[in-house]
């Protein structure tokens, strides 16, 4: 304090310095709060990403195993497509059909779904692979004529597209049919949606 300053001036200088320090501290507190919020958000995002990756790893752990088993399913399909006239072999074929049903049931229980579009369904590049195009008088352009090899998806993720023959441009058959969306097992059934029943006579 200089000799020519009054006590009031000294007080004002101290108050100004304190006010500036308070403003600086408030700004620093706000910056630290923002930093804490960013760190917390990053930690939450990392936690969610790790959970999602762990769930994906569990859900798709059987993807390679399932893809390897598709060759078995294809071999069974081809074997069962062959004509059989010998009665002794027919019993063997029945056993193969039961094996095939058991394999398909195991696929479905583990989320592996067959993609086998019916004739006339619209070609879907997300699920089908066009092996060839040919003109058709039965189905319209862009529709599936024949499935050469069914495809499969695992829990909605394509692991092998269905290999199909597609009707070429200029085909004169029925227009392509839009594929039906997958049925929702949790949707109400028609009998549930009917409302209350009138019990009055």
């Amino acid at each position: 304090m200089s000799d020519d300053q009054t006590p009031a001036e000294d007080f004002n200088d101290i108050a100004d310095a304190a006010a500036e320090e308070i403003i600086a501290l408030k700004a620093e507190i706000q910056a630290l709060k923002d930093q804490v919020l960013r760190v917390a958000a990053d930690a939450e995002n990392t936690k969610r990403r790790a959970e999602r990756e762990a769930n994906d790893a569990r859900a798709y752990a059987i993807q390679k195993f399932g893809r390897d088993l598709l060759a078995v399913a294809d071999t069974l399909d081809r074997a069962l497509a062959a004509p059989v006239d010998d009665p002794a072999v027919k019993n063997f074929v029945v056993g193969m059909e039961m094996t095939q049903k058991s394999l398909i049931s195991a696929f479905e229980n583990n989320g592996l779904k067959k993609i086998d579009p019916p004739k006339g369904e619209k070609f879907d590049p997300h699920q089908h692979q066009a092996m060839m195009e040919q003109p058709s008088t039965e189905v319209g352009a862009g529709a599936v004529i024949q499935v050469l090899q069914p495809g499969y998806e695992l829990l909605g993720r394509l692991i092998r597209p269905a290999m199909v023959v597609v009707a070429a441009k200029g085909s004169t058959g029925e227009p392509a049919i839009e594929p039906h969306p997958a049925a929702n097992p949790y949707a109400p059934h028609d009998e549930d949606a009917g409302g209350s029943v009138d019990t009055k006579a």
Side-chain angles (χ1 to χ4, degrees):
M1 174 174 92
S2 59
D3 294 338
D4 54 347
Q5 278 189 313
T6 65
E9 289 173 334
D10 289 340
F11 178 78
N12 286 340
D13 288 346
I14 293 171
D16 288 345
E20 287 174 9
E21 188 174 353
I22 289 171
I23 291 170
L25 289 172
K26 283 184 177 180
E28 187 177 348
I29 289 169
Q30 188 59 46
L32 290 172
K33 280 182 180 178
D34 292 344
Q35 188 176 358
V36 166
L37 289 174
R38 278 195 300 275
V39 169
D42 284 346
E44 185 63 26
N45 289 339
T46 301
K47 178 183 171 189
R48 286 183 186 162
R49 187 166 41 258
E51 286 174 356
R52 186 174 61 246
E53 287 171 358
N55 288 338
D56 283 351
R58 279 191 296 273
Y60 300 110
I62 63 166
Q63 185 169 349
K64 183 184 181 314
F65 179 65
R67 192 180 293 121
D68 291 343
L69 281 180
L70 296 184
V72 176
D74 294 339
T75 303
L76 277 172
D77 285 343
R78 284 192 293 273
L80 290 171
V84 176
D85 294 328
D86 188 349
V89 177
K90 285 188 179 180
N91 288 335
F92 179 70
V93 170
V94 169
M96 287 179 59
E97 287 172 347
M98 291 172 63
T99 303
Q100 183 189 42
K101 285 179 184 174
S102 179
L103 181 63
I104 290 171
S105 175
F107 282 172
E108 290 172 354
N109 290 340
N110 288 283
L112 193 61
K113 182 181 147 197
K114 192 174 191 177
I115 303 170
D116 194 5
K119 185 175 187 176
E121 184 175 294
K122 186 176 181 182
F123 175 78
D124 180 358
H126 301 291
Q127 292 194 322
H128 308 153
Q129 181 177 351
M131 301 308 291
M132 66 179 80
E133 279 189 336
Q134 65 186 40
S136 174
T137 56
E138 297 178 9
V139 298
V144 172
I145 297 174
Q146 179 186 0
V147 177
L148 301 176
Q149 184 182 53
Y152 286 87
E153 63 181 11
L154 178 62
L155 302 173
R157 180 185 289 181
L158 185 70
I159 62 171
R160 186 177 82 185
M163 297 180 183
V164 297
V165 179
V166 181
K169 288 182 182 178
S171 294
T172 57
E174 294 290 321
I177 303 166
E178 290 291 332
H180 294 292
N184 181 354
Y186 303 105
H189 298 293
D190 291 339
E191 59 268 18
D192 299 336
S196 59
V197 177
D198 186 6
T199 56
K200 293 178 183 175

